[in-house]
Amino acid sequence: MITLTHYLVASALLFSIGLIGIMTRRNVLMILLCIEIMFNAANLAFVAYARAWGDQAGQVLVFFIITVAAAEVTVGLAIAILLSRQLNTLNADEVSALKW
Amino acid sequence: MAEAVCFYIFAGLMLAAALAVILGRHPVYSVLSLLAVMFCLAALFIMLGAYFVAALQVLLYAGAVLVLFLFVIMLLNLEPETLARMRVFTLRAGGTAAAALLLALLVKIVVSGGDRPFAAAAPGDGTVESVGRLLFTTYLIPFELTSFIILAAIIGAVTLGKQHTSRK
Amino acid sequence: MVTPPPGLEAAPQGAWLSWTILFAPLAAGAAILLTGLNRRRFASTLAIAGLLASFGCTLRLFALALKRPDLLPIQTAVSWINLPGFTIQFGVLIDQLSLLMALVVTGVGSAIFIYSTAYMHDDEGYSRFFGVLSLFAFAMLTIVLATNWVQLFMGWELVGFSSYLLIGHWYAKPAAADAGKKAFMVNRVADFGFLLGILALWAASGIGGAERTFDFLALEHRLTDPAHAAELPLAALPLIGLLIFCGPMGKSAQFPLHVWLPDAMEGPTPVSALIHAATMVAAGVYLLCRAFWLFEGLPQVLTAIMWVGGITACFAACLALVENDLKRILAYSTLSQLGYMVMAVGLGGAVAGMYHLTTHAFFKALLFLGAGSVIHGTHEQDIRKLGGLWRSMRWTSATFLVGALALCGFPGLSGFFSKDEILVLAHENNARLYWLGTVTAGMTAFYAARLWFTAFTGKPHGHAGHGHSGSQHAHESPPAMVIPLVVLAALAIAAGYIGIPHFLAEMPQFHGEEPGTLHWDVAATSLAAVASGLGLAWLVYQQRAVSARQLVNALAVPHTLLERRFYIDEMYAWVVANVQQRMIAGFCAWFERVIIIGLAVNGIAWLTAGIGRTLRLAQTGKVQTYVLAFLLGIVWLLAAASRQ
C-alpha cells in the first residue's frame, strides 16, 4: 500500500538531493538547477497532502509555485548572464566580493 | 499492487535522475537529467490524481523553464566542471552531512505522523475544471497577482539583459 | 547643639565668642587669598585684625574661666556628619587646657604677625604669606579647640599643609621646596599611625551599649567610668595608645621622626618662630595632654613616651653643640625642649608639660624673632661670621639675652620654673631620666652660651667691602620688630609668677598633680649643671682659655658623628631610595604596567579584537557557505521542535 508517508519520504529525499547539489556544485547555473529540484520536491509534498486531505488547495498552490519558479528562473538566468559578462566567470567561489 | 510498482519505479527513477543532476559533469547532461526528474514527477502527480498539475508540470516546467536553461547554457558555452579542489572539500562533506541530517529529521517527522492510506478521491478532483474553479473563485486574487510577478520578471529580464552600448 | 553655660549673665554670647575665636582667622585668610593678593596693606592688616579678634575673644573667655571655673568645660558644637552609628560634630571645646593653649597661639601669634609686617616688608609674596599664616592660625585653633578626634585630625593635617606652604614660601629655592616636602612626608608617615589609632579608639568606644563616638568628653567619661571597666578592651588599649602617640612623634618631631624640623628652617624666620617653635610642634604635646585620660592607665605606653622624650631631648642637645647656623641651633634647641615636654607627659606630669610648653613658646619665639632681627640687620646666618652685635643692636641683644637665659633655666626666669617641674617629676619617678635631663640641661646651657658669646660679644666679623653682610654694618631693626621682642621678653621673665600650673590643675583630670612647690635638691643640681655649662662656654668662647680647635681635635670621632647628625638623614635617604622606590614603588609600577595595563586593559582589547578577527571569517562572501549555515540552523530548529 502506498501511503502518504511514501510520497513524503520521496519528497524529502528529493529535497536533500537538491540541497546537496546546491552546496557542492560550483557553477552558478548548476546551483540554479538544483534549486529547481528543491522546488519540485516541495510540489510533490503539496500534491501528496492535497490528495491526503482531499483539499485541492495544494494543487492550486503548486500552480502558483510553478509560475513563480518560472519567473524566478528568468531573472536568475539573466543575472547569471550578466555575471558571466562582468566577471568572466561562473564559478560561485569567485563571486565573493562581499566578504571580510 | 500495480500502484506500488508504479510508485517505486517512478520514484526510483526520479531520485536516480536527481542524483545524475547533481553529479553530472556536463551542464547539458544535468539539464537533461532534470528533464527526466520532471517527467517522473508528472507521473507521480497523475498517480496522485492531480492531472491538471501534471500537465502544467510538463508544459511549463519541463517545456519552458528547462528549455530556457538549455538556451542559456548553450549561449554561455559552458565547459564541463573541473574536479573540485581541496578547498571545497569541507563544504561538500559538511554540506552532505548536514543535508543527510536534515533528511533524517524530516523522515522522522514524517514517519511519526502515522500511516494512513489514501481515501478515495472525489470524482472530478484534480481535473482542469475543478482546479480552475478554485483558481477563479477562492484564489482569484493570488491568480491575478501572479500576472504581476510575471510582468516583473519580464521587465527584470529585459533590463538586465540589455546591452549598454548605446551610450557613446 | 549649643550648650549655653548655665547662670552665665556676664557673657551671654559664650557661643559667639567660641566661634569667633575659630573662624576669624579663617575669614581673614580666605579674604586675603581670594581677593587681596595684590593689596599688601590690606592683607597684613586683615590678618592681624583676625588674629587679634581671636585673641580678644580668648581673653574674654579666659576672664570668665578665672571667675567661674565651675562652668568649664563649655562645648559648642554643630552636627557635621550624621549617619546611623557614625556621628561627627564640629565645634569648640573651652576648658582650662584649651584656653591656655589658645592664649598662647593667638597671643604669640599676634606678636609674630606684627613682627612679620616689618620682616617680610621686601618680600614679593607678602600678601600670600599673611593669607597662609591666617589659614595656619585657623588650623592650629581647630586643633586646640577641637571637640572630637576627627576635628582634631582635620586641623592636624591642615597645619601640616600650611606648614608645607610656609616652609616652601620661597618656592623657587630648591632647598626650601625640598624641606617643605620632607616635612610633609615625615608627618604623613606619623599621621598614618595616628589615624589608625583614632579609628581603633573609635571602634573600641562602644562601651555600655552606647554608640561609638569620637568626642573627647564622652570618651574620657567612658574610659574612666568604673561602672563599665570590665568592658574595656584592655589588651588593645596599649596598642591604641602607641598608635595615637605616633601623631605627636611626627608633629612634635620626636626621635626618630625629628629629621624634618632642622630642614624646616628654610622658611622665613617668623614661620620658624610661630610654627616650629611656639605652636605647631607643641600641638603634639597638647594632644598628649588633651588625651591624658587615655594614657594615664597605660604604664607601658607612658614608659615609651617618656623615654622617647628623654632621648630626643639629649640627642637634640648633642646635635646643637656643633651647629653653626643661627636658626639651626635654635631648631635643635626646640627639639630638645620638645623632648622635655614629652618626657614630662610620659612621667605623668601633663601639667608640667603644658607649663613648659607655655614658657617655651614665649622664650623660643623670642629667640627666633631675635634671630630674625639679626638676620634682617646683618643678612648673615652663620654665627662664626657674626660678633659684637650687642654694640650695634642693643634691643635685639638684650631681649635675646633674656631668651637665652630663660632657655638655660636661669633662676628667676620662667624657663627655670617649668624645667624644674619636669626635673622634679623625673627625680621622683625615674633616676636615669633624671640624670639624662640634668646633663641635657647642662648641654643646653653650653650651646646657648656658645651662641651668645660667638654672635653677640667679641669683635664684629664682617668683611669690609663685602656689601651689607656681616655685623660690621649691622643696624637695629624697626620698631615693628623690636616691640614684639620686648613684649615676649617680658613674658619670658614673668611667666613663672602668674600661676599657670595652678590654673591648669583646676581641670578635673589633672587634679592629681601638685605644682609649684620648689624642691631645693633638684634645683641645686640643675643649677650646678647650668653653671658648669655656662662656665665651660665662657672659658672656651669668651676667654679663649681652652681652645675650641683643640677640643674638636681631641673629640674628633664624636664631633664628626654629631656634625653628620648620626647619619640619620643618610639612612632615611637609603631606605627611601632602595626599599621604597626600588622595591615597593618599582613593584607597583611593574604591576600597573604589566598586569593592569598589559593584561587587563590591553588584554581585553586584544581579546575582543581576536574574537572579532575569528568571527569575521564566517563572512566568506560565498553563497554556498551561507546556505550551509542556513541549513544548519534549520536542522537545529527542527531537531529542537521534534524533541517531543
Side-chain angles (χ1 to χ4, degrees), chain C residues 55 58-59 62 98-109 141 144 362 503:
Chain C
F55 184 54
T58 315
L59 275 178
F62 179 69
S98 64
L99 272 178
L100 177 65
M101 192 72 190
L103 276 177
V104 169
V105 170
T106 52
V108 175
L141 286 168
V144 171
F362 297 143
F503 175 67

Side-chain angles (χ1 to χ4, degrees), chain C residues 133-416:
Chain C
L133 264 187
S134 298
L135 219 54
F136 166 80
F138 164 69
M140 189 67 212
L141 286 168
T142 306
I143 293 181
V144 171
L145 300 169
T147 61
N148 58 67
W149 284 102
V150 174
Q151 188 182 350
L152 185 133
F153 189 73
M154 213 181 80
W156 197 266
E157 294 300 317
L158 273 176
V159 293
F161 176 63
S162 329
S163 163
Y164 164 77
L165 286 177
L166 286 167
I167 293 175
H169 177 77
W170 295 310
Y171 49 79
K173 206 159 66 138
D178 283 340
K181 211 166 53 171
K182 186 175 183 179
F184 195 78
M185 301 229 277
V186 173
N187 270 286
R188 170 51 71 214
V189 170
D191 292 347
F192 176 64
F194 187 32
L195 186 59
L196 284 179
I198 293 178
L199 294 175
L201 187 58
W202 174 80
S205 66
I207 296 173
E211 181 187 314
R212 295 185 283 196
T213 178
F214 289 103
D215 193 77
F216 286 134
L217 294 178
L219 279 172
E220 177 186 353
H221 182 73
R222 281 186 213 180
L223 258 64
T224 51
D225 188 6
H228 293 115
E231 292 177 38
L232 288 177
L234 286 174
L237 277 179
L239 180 63
I240 296 177
L242 278 175
L243 282 174
I244 290 185
F245 179 54
C246 285
M249 270 183 80
K251 193 66 75 182
S252 297
Q254 300 298 300
F255 181 87
L257 294 173
H258 65 280
V259 289
W260 64 272
L261 192 52
D263 286 9
M265 296 299 119
E266 296 286 340
T269 311
V271 167
S272 307
L274 181 60
I275 301 185
H276 305 120
T279 51
M280 185 181 91
V281 292
V285 182
Y286 174 77
L287 173 75
L288 289 175
C289 298
R290 167 62 71 209
F292 196 60
W293 37 265
L294 173 66
F295 297 106
E296 231 176 345
L298 305 173
Q300 313 102 308
V301 180
L302 284 177
T303 314
I305 293 177
M306 73 184 175
W307 276 107
V308 166
I311 292 174
T312 307
C314 187
F315 179 79
C318 292
L319 291 182
L321 294 174
V322 298
E323 271 296 333
N324 291 312
D325 182 283
L326 181 55
K327 284 175 72 174
R328 291 221 168 193
I329 297 178
L330 294 178
Y332 283 111
S333 162
T334 309
L335 275 177
S336 180
Q337 300 304 308
L338 286 171
Y340 268 115
M341 294 177 220
V342 171
M343 187 173 84
V345 174
L347 288 164
V351 170
M354 283 304 296
Y355 187 18
H356 196 59
L357 190 156
T358 314
T359 61
H360 174 263
F362 297 143
F363 62 70
K364 194 45 68 64
L366 169 61
L367 284 170
F368 265 110
L369 292 185
S373 178
V374 166
I375 297 172
H376 183 87
T378 64
H379 296 283
E380 184 57 64
Q381 279 186 245
D382 192 328
I383 57 171
R384 296 171 294 191
K385 299 204 180 88
L386 297 169
L389 284 174
W390 72 277
R391 266 182 234 111
S392 39
M393 300 176 77
R394 293 277 170 176
W395 285 102
T396 307
S397 308
T399 51
F400 199 92
L401 181 60
V402 170
L405 286 175
L407 172 62
C408 297
F410 199 80
L413 299 178
S414 58
F416 168 70

Side-chain angles (χ1 to χ4, degrees), chain C residues 590-603:
Chain C
W590 172 86
F591 189 78
E592 163 132 14
R593 215 178 36 247
V594 172
I595 297 190
I596 296 182
I597 296 183
L599 217 55
V601 175
N602 285 349

